[in-house]
Amino acid sequence: FDDYLHFSVLQSNIHEIWLRRQASTLESRNCYTTTDCFDTFPFPRNLSDTKIDTATKAGKEFYDYRGNVLSDRSLGLTNIYNLLNNPKCQDVDIYNLRQLQINMDLSVMECYGWIDIELQHDFYPDDRKKIRFTPSPAAQREIFTRLVALNQEIAAQEATQGLVVEAGEDDE
């Protein structure tokens, strides 16, 4: 993809929640593979122009601001995200980046129509007890539950339309 709508979705904590549960691991790190994390991810569907515009704007703002922070600090993405996830870092630029992350997450939640979930962004331990700036564990569980349901709904629609090739079927 080469647009800010998909950037928003893929950089959102919504996608992060999916990949943390779907990804294989390599040593102590998640291993993002397209077959496990991307191909199975249920992107939002049937978006209105307003939702597209809101998520596009949020993604562009985050992307541009993050680029400025990277440049101003002469740091790479890993170091910037380490600061973003560090509760001790209260620098204005990192605080603003967190706020833009929240805005982007909210715009993506709106794309799914899940505005009833309170994200409650804060610093929480992940499954490896590493502290991250992310939605609350309760919000993460609800988002993952809904993503799984949406994934199953999309799979059923694709099967009905004959778009799915069952494992083991030969292409003749």
Side-chain angles (χ1 to χ4, degrees):
F1 299 107
D2 188 21
D3 61 78
Y4 290 108
L5 168 65
H6 289 93
F7 174 84
S8 289
V9 173
L10 293 170
Q11 290 295 305
S12 72
N13 276 298
I14 292 76
H15 185 62
E16 180 84 10
I17 290 163
W18 180 260
L19 78 88
R20 288 195 170 276
R21 291 194 168 89
Q22 298 297 106
S24 56
T25 56
L26 178 64
E27 297 169 357
S28 64
R29 300 180 311 272
N30 284 330
C31 184
Y32 189 104
T33 60
T34 55
T35 54
D36 292 337
C37 302
F38 183 79
D39 293 344
T40 61
F41 181 70
F43 283 87
R45 303 164 72 97
N46 306 317
L47 299 176
S48 68
D49 290 342
T50 301
K51 289 178 181 178
I52 290 169
D53 291 345
T54 301
T56 296
K57 180 181 177 202
K60 181 168 179 14
E61 286 176 354
F62 182 87
Y63 180 85
D64 290 344
Y65 191 82
R66 185 184 69 179
N68 290 334
V69 173
L70 288 165
S71 177
D72 292 348
R73 287 183 175 252
S74 298
L75 294 174
L77 283 172
T78 299
N79 289 326
I80 294 299
Y81 279 96
N82 286 342
L83 292 172
L84 183 112
N85 289 308
N86 182 348
K88 293 177 183 172
C89 181
Q90 294 298 316
D91 298 352
V92 172
D93 59 344
I94 301 303
Y95 174 84
N96 290 340
L97 193 60
R98 289 181 190 127
Q99 296 308 304
L100 291 170
Q101 179 71 56
I102 292 169
N103 291 343
M104 191 166 56
D105 288 351
L106 290 171
S107 75
V108 172
M109 292 294 286
E110 192 173 313
C111 286
Y112 283 102
W114 299 342
I115 57 173
D116 60 313
I117 300 173
E118 291 187 38
L119 297 181
Q120 299 175 314
H121 285 81
D122 207 338
F123 297 95
Y124 301 101
D126 66 12
D127 54 343
R128 295 185 316 258
K129 307 297 183 223
K130 185 175 180 183
I131 299 296
R132 302 183 54 76
F133 183 75
T134 188
S136 72
Q140 290 181 45
R141 284 189 297 277
E142 182 62 25
I143 290 166
F144 185 71
T145 298
R146 292 186 191 191
L147 287 171
V148 168
L150 182 57
N151 174 280
Q152 292 170 343
E153 179 185 318
I154 292 168
Q157 290 171 354
E158 289 175 350
T160 300
Q161 297 169 359
L163 300 174
V164 177
V165 176
E166 296 295 326
E169 286 186 17
D170 293 330
D171 293 339
E172 296 178 16

